[in-house]
Short mmCIF file of all heavy atoms in Angstrom, two decimals:
data_model
loop_
_atom_site.label_atom_id
_atom_site.label_comp_id
_atom_site.label_asym_id
_atom_site.label_seq_id
_atom_site.Cartn_x
_atom_site.Cartn_y
_atom_site.Cartn_z
N SER E 1 114.50 48.49 5.74
CA SER E 1 114.52 49.64 4.62
C SER E 1 115.56 50.71 4.95
O SER E 1 116.30 51.13 3.99
CB SER E 1 113.10 50.16 4.53
OG SER E 1 112.18 49.29 4.14
N LEU E 2 115.64 51.16 6.26
CA LEU E 2 116.55 52.19 6.55
C LEU E 2 118.00 51.68 6.42
O LEU E 2 118.93 52.34 6.04
CB LEU E 2 116.30 52.65 7.95
CG LEU E 2 117.04 53.89 8.36
CD1 LEU E 2 116.60 55.10 7.40
CD2 LEU E 2 116.94 54.29 9.79
N PHE E 3 118.24 50.38 6.91
CA PHE E 3 119.57 49.78 6.81
C PHE E 3 119.89 49.75 5.33
O PHE E 3 121.09 50.12 4.95
CB PHE E 3 119.54 48.39 7.37
CG PHE E 3 120.90 47.76 7.37
CD1 PHE E 3 121.73 47.82 8.43
CD2 PHE E 3 121.21 46.79 6.36
CE1 PHE E 3 123.00 47.26 8.45
CE2 PHE E 3 122.38 46.20 6.32
CZ PHE E 3 123.32 46.45 7.32
N ASP E 4 119.06 49.31 4.44
CA ASP E 4 119.33 49.16 3.00
C ASP E 4 119.58 50.61 2.45
O ASP E 4 120.50 50.65 1.54
CB ASP E 4 118.20 48.50 2.27
CG ASP E 4 117.94 47.09 2.64
OD1 ASP E 4 118.82 46.58 3.25
OD2 ASP E 4 116.85 46.67 2.40
N LEU E 5 118.89 51.62 2.91
CA LEU E 5 119.10 52.89 2.47
C LEU E 5 120.52 53.37 2.74
O LEU E 5 121.34 53.90 1.89
CB LEU E 5 118.13 53.99 2.98
CG LEU E 5 118.32 55.42 2.66
CD1 LEU E 5 118.14 55.77 1.24
CD2 LEU E 5 117.47 56.32 3.55
N ALA E 6 121.11 53.08 4.13
CA ALA E 6 122.36 53.47 4.42
C ALA E 6 123.40 52.75 3.52
O ALA E 6 124.33 53.31 3.13
CB ALA E 6 122.48 52.98 5.90
N VAL E 7 123.18 51.42 3.29
CA VAL E 7 124.04 50.63 2.49
C VAL E 7 124.12 51.28 0.98
O VAL E 7 125.21 51.54 0.49
CB VAL E 7 123.67 49.16 2.38
CG1 VAL E 7 124.46 48.49 1.40
CG2 VAL E 7 123.74 48.48 3.71
N ASN E 8 122.99 51.55 0.48
CA ASN E 8 122.92 52.10 -0.84
C ASN E 8 123.61 53.49 -1.03
O ASN E 8 124.12 53.85 -2.01
CB ASN E 8 121.51 52.20 -1.36
CG ASN E 8 120.93 50.85 -1.60
OD1 ASN E 8 121.56 49.84 -1.76
ND2 ASN E 8 119.54 50.75 -1.53
N LEU E 9 123.58 54.30 0.06
CA LEU E 9 124.33 55.51 0.19
C LEU E 9 125.71 55.45 0.48
O LEU E 9 126.46 56.49 0.44
CB LEU E 9 123.48 56.42 1.14
CG LEU E 9 122.15 56.81 0.89
CD1 LEU E 9 121.45 57.57 2.03
CD2 LEU E 9 122.09 57.64 -0.42
N GLY E 10 126.20 54.27 0.86
CA GLY E 10 127.60 54.06 1.14
C GLY E 10 128.02 54.50 2.57
O GLY E 10 129.06 54.92 2.86
N ALA E 11 126.96 54.63 3.42
CA ALA E 11 127.30 54.97 4.89
C ALA E 11 127.79 53.89 5.66
O ALA E 11 127.70 52.65 5.31
CB ALA E 11 125.87 55.48 5.47
N PRO E 12 128.42 54.16 6.77
CA PRO E 12 128.87 53.21 7.75
C PRO E 12 127.69 52.36 8.25
O PRO E 12 126.63 52.91 8.42
CB PRO E 12 129.69 53.84 8.80
CG PRO E 12 129.00 55.19 8.79
CD PRO E 12 128.74 55.61 7.27
N THR E 13 127.94 51.07 8.52
CA THR E 13 126.83 50.21 9.15
C THR E 13 127.31 49.43 10.29
O THR E 13 126.52 48.71 10.85
CB THR E 13 126.40 49.23 7.94
OG1 THR E 13 127.58 48.43 7.45
CG2 THR E 13 125.76 49.96 6.82
N THR E 14 128.52 49.69 10.69
CA THR E 14 129.00 48.79 11.97
C THR E 14 129.65 49.78 12.95
O THR E 14 130.25 50.87 12.57
CB THR E 14 130.04 47.89 11.50
OG1 THR E 14 131.27 48.46 11.29
CG2 THR E 14 129.49 47.07 10.43
N LEU E 15 129.42 49.58 14.24
CA LEU E 15 130.11 50.30 15.33
C LEU E 15 131.62 49.96 15.20
O LEU E 15 132.41 50.84 15.64
CB LEU E 15 129.55 50.03 16.65
CG LEU E 15 128.11 50.49 16.98
CD1 LEU E 15 127.71 49.97 18.30
CD2 LEU E 15 128.12 52.00 16.85
N LYS E 16 132.00 48.78 14.80
CA LYS E 16 133.36 48.39 14.71
C LYS E 16 134.11 49.42 13.89
O LYS E 16 135.23 49.80 14.20
CB LYS E 16 133.55 47.01 14.25
CG LYS E 16 134.90 46.48 14.06
CD LYS E 16 135.01 45.09 13.71
CE LYS E 16 136.35 44.49 13.66
NZ LYS E 16 136.53 43.08 13.19
N GLU E 17 133.61 49.74 12.66
CA GLU E 17 134.41 50.55 11.80
C GLU E 17 134.41 51.97 12.35
O GLU E 17 135.28 52.95 11.81
CB GLU E 17 133.77 50.57 10.38
CG GLU E 17 132.35 51.14 10.32
CD GLU E 17 131.76 50.88 8.93
OE1 GLU E 17 132.14 51.50 7.91
OE2 GLU E 17 130.76 50.07 8.91
N LEU E 18 133.61 52.47 13.34
CA LEU E 18 133.58 53.76 13.97
C LEU E 18 134.62 53.84 15.06
O LEU E 18 134.94 54.89 15.67
CB LEU E 18 132.32 54.17 14.45
CG LEU E 18 131.09 54.12 13.55
CD1 LEU E 18 129.89 54.78 14.07
CD2 LEU E 18 131.45 54.99 12.20
N GLY E 19 135.26 52.61 15.41
CA GLY E 19 136.30 52.63 16.48
C GLY E 19 135.70 52.00 17.71
O GLY E 19 136.62 52.03 18.69
N MET E 20 134.59 51.52 17.88
CA MET E 20 134.09 50.80 19.13
C MET E 20 134.76 49.47 19.23
O MET E 20 134.95 48.83 18.22
CB MET E 20 132.48 50.65 18.95
CG MET E 20 131.90 50.08 20.23
SD MET E 20 131.86 51.40 21.56
CE MET E 20 131.07 50.53 22.84
N ARG E 21 135.12 49.28 20.45
CA ARG E 21 135.66 47.95 20.81
C ARG E 21 134.68 47.04 21.39
O ARG E 21 133.81 47.43 22.11
CB ARG E 21 136.88 48.15 21.88
CG ARG E 21 137.91 49.07 21.50
CD ARG E 21 139.19 49.10 22.51
NE ARG E 21 138.60 49.36 23.87
CZ ARG E 21 139.40 49.28 24.96
NH1 ARG E 21 140.67 48.83 24.85
NH2 ARG E 21 138.81 49.53 26.09
N GLU E 22 134.67 45.77 20.84
CA GLU E 22 133.73 44.81 21.36
C GLU E 22 133.73 44.63 22.88
O GLU E 22 132.60 44.42 23.51
CB GLU E 22 133.90 43.52 20.62
CG GLU E 22 132.71 42.51 20.69
CD GLU E 22 132.82 41.30 19.83
OE1 GLU E 22 134.01 41.10 19.29
OE2 GLU E 22 131.76 40.60 19.74
N GLU E 23 134.90 44.70 23.41
CA GLU E 23 134.90 44.53 24.93
C GLU E 23 134.25 45.61 25.73
O GLU E 23 134.08 45.60 26.82
CB GLU E 23 136.39 44.33 25.37
CG GLU E 23 137.33 45.41 25.03
CD GLU E 23 138.08 45.15 23.64
OE1 GLU E 23 137.46 44.51 22.71
OE2 GLU E 23 139.18 45.53 23.57
N ASP E 24 133.94 46.81 24.98
CA ASP E 24 133.35 47.85 25.77
C ASP E 24 131.77 47.91 25.56
O ASP E 24 131.12 48.74 26.14
CB ASP E 24 133.80 49.28 25.11
CG ASP E 24 135.24 49.54 25.60
OD1 ASP E 24 135.63 48.95 26.58
OD2 ASP E 24 135.95 50.27 24.80
N LEU E 25 131.19 46.77 24.83
CA LEU E 25 129.76 46.87 24.66
C LEU E 25 129.07 46.61 25.99
O LEU E 25 128.01 47.31 26.30
CB LEU E 25 129.41 45.70 23.64
CG LEU E 25 129.90 45.96 22.18
CD1 LEU E 25 129.45 44.75 21.42
CD2 LEU E 25 129.38 47.35 21.69
N ASP E 26 129.55 45.80 26.90
CA ASP E 26 128.93 45.61 28.19
C ASP E 26 128.90 46.90 29.02
O ASP E 26 127.90 47.16 29.69
CB ASP E 26 129.62 44.45 28.93
CG ASP E 26 129.34 42.98 28.35
OD1 ASP E 26 128.22 42.83 27.90
OD2 ASP E 26 130.19 42.23 28.41
N ARG E 27 130.01 47.60 29.04
CA ARG E 27 130.05 48.87 29.77
C ARG E 27 129.02 49.83 29.12
O ARG E 27 128.41 50.59 29.92
CB ARG E 27 131.42 49.55 29.66
CG ARG E 27 131.53 50.70 30.50
CD ARG E 27 133.01 51.24 30.67
NE ARG E 27 133.01 52.59 31.03
CZ ARG E 27 133.58 53.59 30.35
NH1 ARG E 27 134.13 53.33 29.17
NH2 ARG E 27 133.66 54.79 30.86
N ALA E 28 128.87 49.81 27.79
CA ALA E 28 127.91 50.76 27.21
C ALA E 28 126.45 50.45 27.67
O ALA E 28 125.63 51.28 27.91
CB ALA E 28 128.01 50.63 25.67
N VAL E 29 126.19 49.24 27.77
CA VAL E 29 124.86 48.72 28.21
C VAL E 29 124.60 49.16 29.78
O VAL E 29 123.53 49.67 30.10
CB VAL E 29 124.84 47.22 28.23
CG1 VAL E 29 123.44 46.66 28.94
CG2 VAL E 29 124.71 46.75 26.86
N ASP E 30 125.77 49.02 30.45
CA ASP E 30 125.57 49.60 31.96
C ASP E 30 125.26 51.00 32.03
O ASP E 30 124.35 51.44 32.77
CB ASP E 30 126.89 49.30 32.66
CG ASP E 30 127.20 47.71 32.94
OD1 ASP E 30 126.21 46.93 32.82
OD2 ASP E 30 128.40 47.34 33.05
N ILE E 31 125.99 51.79 31.21
CA ILE E 31 125.80 53.23 31.18
C ILE E 31 124.35 53.59 30.70
O ILE E 31 123.70 54.42 31.37
CB ILE E 31 126.91 53.98 30.31
CG1 ILE E 31 128.24 53.76 30.99
CG2 ILE E 31 126.57 55.50 30.26
CD1 ILE E 31 129.33 54.13 30.08
N ALA E 32 123.87 52.95 29.71
CA ALA E 32 122.65 53.27 29.09
C ALA E 32 121.46 52.89 30.13
O ALA E 32 120.48 53.52 30.27
CB ALA E 32 122.38 52.61 27.74
N LEU E 33 121.68 51.73 30.82
CA LEU E 33 120.67 51.29 31.80
C LEU E 33 120.58 52.13 33.00
O LEU E 33 119.64 52.20 33.80
CB LEU E 33 120.81 49.93 32.21
CG LEU E 33 120.66 48.68 31.16
CD1 LEU E 33 121.05 47.34 31.57
CD2 LEU E 33 119.15 48.89 30.80
N ALA E 34 121.76 52.83 33.37
CA ALA E 34 121.88 53.61 34.55
C ALA E 34 120.90 54.87 34.56
O ALA E 34 120.41 55.11 35.70
CB ALA E 34 123.21 54.27 34.77
N ASN E 35 120.57 55.32 33.40
CA ASN E 35 119.66 56.50 33.35
C ASN E 35 118.73 56.50 32.11
O ASN E 35 118.99 57.25 31.20
CB ASN E 35 120.36 57.85 33.49
CG ASN E 35 119.46 58.98 33.50
OD1 ASN E 35 118.37 58.85 34.04
ND2 ASN E 35 119.90 60.11 33.12
N PRO E 36 117.94 55.41 32.01
CA PRO E 36 117.25 55.20 30.73
C PRO E 36 116.30 56.23 30.38
O PRO E 36 115.68 56.76 31.30
CB PRO E 36 116.57 53.77 30.98
CG PRO E 36 116.43 53.76 32.46
CD PRO E 36 117.51 54.35 32.98
N TYR E 37 116.00 56.39 29.11
CA TYR E 37 114.94 57.26 28.48
C TYR E 37 113.59 56.42 28.76
O TYR E 37 113.62 55.29 28.68
CB TYR E 37 115.16 57.66 27.11
CG TYR E 37 116.21 58.73 26.83
CD1 TYR E 37 117.10 59.08 27.78
CD2 TYR E 37 116.07 59.42 25.67
CE1 TYR E 37 118.04 60.12 27.57
CE2 TYR E 37 117.13 60.43 25.36
CZ TYR E 37 117.93 60.75 26.36
OH TYR E 37 118.86 61.75 26.14
N TRP E 38 112.49 57.16 28.51
CA TRP E 38 111.24 56.51 28.24
C TRP E 38 111.43 55.82 26.85
O TRP E 38 112.09 56.30 25.96
CB TRP E 38 110.03 57.46 28.18
CG TRP E 38 108.85 56.77 27.71
CD1 TRP E 38 107.90 56.25 28.62
CD2 TRP E 38 108.40 56.62 26.44
NE1 TRP E 38 106.91 55.70 27.91
CE2 TRP E 38 107.09 55.85 26.52
CE3 TRP E 38 108.79 56.91 25.15
CZ2 TRP E 38 106.40 55.48 25.35
CZ3 TRP E 38 108.09 56.57 24.10
CH2 TRP E 38 106.96 55.79 24.17
N ASN E 39 110.81 54.61 26.69
CA ASN E 39 110.87 53.94 25.48
C ASN E 39 109.60 53.13 25.34
O ASN E 39 108.94 52.58 26.30
CB ASN E 39 112.10 53.01 25.47
CG ASN E 39 112.35 52.48 24.11
OD1 ASN E 39 112.74 53.26 23.27
ND2 ASN E 39 112.28 51.15 23.86
N PRO E 40 108.99 52.96 24.08
CA PRO E 40 107.87 52.22 23.99
C PRO E 40 107.96 50.75 24.24
O PRO E 40 106.94 50.13 24.74
CB PRO E 40 107.45 52.36 22.39
CG PRO E 40 108.80 52.73 21.75
CD PRO E 40 109.57 53.56 22.76
N ARG E 41 109.08 50.25 24.23
CA ARG E 41 109.36 48.74 24.66
C ARG E 41 110.23 48.84 25.85
O ARG E 41 111.20 49.56 25.99
CB ARG E 41 110.01 47.95 23.53
CG ARG E 41 110.40 46.57 24.05
CD ARG E 41 111.14 45.85 22.84
NE ARG E 41 111.67 44.59 23.29
CZ ARG E 41 112.47 43.77 22.53
NH1 ARG E 41 112.69 44.10 21.33
NH2 ARG E 41 112.98 42.69 23.05
N PRO E 42 109.89 48.11 26.95
CA PRO E 42 110.75 48.09 28.11
C PRO E 42 112.29 47.82 27.69
O PRO E 42 112.65 46.99 26.86
CB PRO E 42 110.20 46.96 28.92
CG PRO E 42 108.82 46.83 28.58
CD PRO E 42 108.76 47.15 27.06
N ILE E 43 113.16 48.49 28.34
CA ILE E 43 114.62 48.40 28.11
C ILE E 43 115.12 47.36 28.98
O ILE E 43 115.25 47.55 30.25
CB ILE E 43 115.31 49.73 28.25
CG1 ILE E 43 114.76 50.79 27.28
CG2 ILE E 43 116.78 49.53 28.11
CD1 ILE E 43 115.25 52.17 27.52
N GLU E 44 115.56 46.22 28.48
CA GLU E 44 116.13 45.11 29.25
C GLU E 44 117.51 44.75 28.80
O GLU E 44 117.87 44.93 27.68
CB GLU E 44 115.14 43.88 28.95
CG GLU E 44 113.71 44.06 29.52
CD GLU E 44 112.81 43.10 28.92
OE1 GLU E 44 112.83 42.71 27.70
OE2 GLU E 44 112.09 42.45 29.80
N ARG E 45 118.26 44.34 29.71
CA ARG E 45 119.72 44.13 29.48
C ARG E 45 120.05 43.18 28.29
O ARG E 45 120.67 43.57 27.39
CB ARG E 45 120.40 43.62 30.80
CG ARG E 45 121.90 43.38 30.60
CD ARG E 45 122.52 42.93 31.88
NE ARG E 45 122.50 44.01 32.78
CZ ARG E 45 123.45 44.97 32.95
NH1 ARG E 45 124.45 45.09 32.04
NH2 ARG E 45 123.43 45.93 33.81
N ARG E 46 119.41 42.03 28.35
CA ARG E 46 119.93 41.01 27.35
C ARG E 46 119.50 41.49 25.98
O ARG E 46 120.37 41.50 25.05
CB ARG E 46 119.22 39.64 27.62
CG ARG E 46 119.69 38.58 26.62
CD ARG E 46 119.08 37.35 27.10
NE ARG E 46 119.78 36.87 28.38
CZ ARG E 46 119.50 35.68 28.94
NH1 ARG E 46 118.63 34.84 28.38
NH2 ARG E 46 120.08 35.35 30.06
N PRO E 47 118.27 41.97 25.70
CA PRO E 47 117.89 42.38 24.27
C PRO E 47 118.73 43.68 23.92
O PRO E 47 119.14 43.93 22.66
CB PRO E 47 116.55 42.55 24.30
CG PRO E 47 116.05 42.62 25.65
CD PRO E 47 117.00 41.74 26.43
N LEU E 48 118.95 44.47 24.90
CA LEU E 48 119.78 45.74 24.64
C LEU E 48 121.24 45.36 24.29
O LEU E 48 121.85 45.86 23.33
CB LEU E 48 119.84 46.64 25.89
CG LEU E 48 120.52 47.90 25.78
CD1 LEU E 48 119.96 48.80 24.59
CD2 LEU E 48 120.46 48.67 26.93
#
């Protein structure tokens, strides 16, 4: 529902269009896992 709201409002829906490079996604995961927040679901590398 929230994704559809963003689409209907004409908002960006991809990290690619914001300038993120696909080859940097693994590094982003590493940084996020280095100091994770509490989260209701365990933060695991593969699903993240």
Side-chain angles (χ1 to χ4, degrees):
S1 296
L2 191 67
F3 183 88
D4 293 344
L5 176 65
V7 170
N8 292 336
L9 292 172
T13 56
T14 73
L15 290 177
K16 182 177 182 179
E17 66 190 289
L18 302 185
M20 187 71 182
R21 301 187 307 171
E22 189 169 13
E23 55 266 33
D24 286 334
L25 295 179
D26 287 327
R27 180 170 166 244
V29 172
D30 291 338
I31 296 171
L33 288 173
N35 185 27
Y37 282 20
W38 176 89
N39 196 61
R41 175 184 170 184
I43 300 175
E44 301 170 306
R45 177 176 294 275
R46 183 173 294 179
L48 181 59

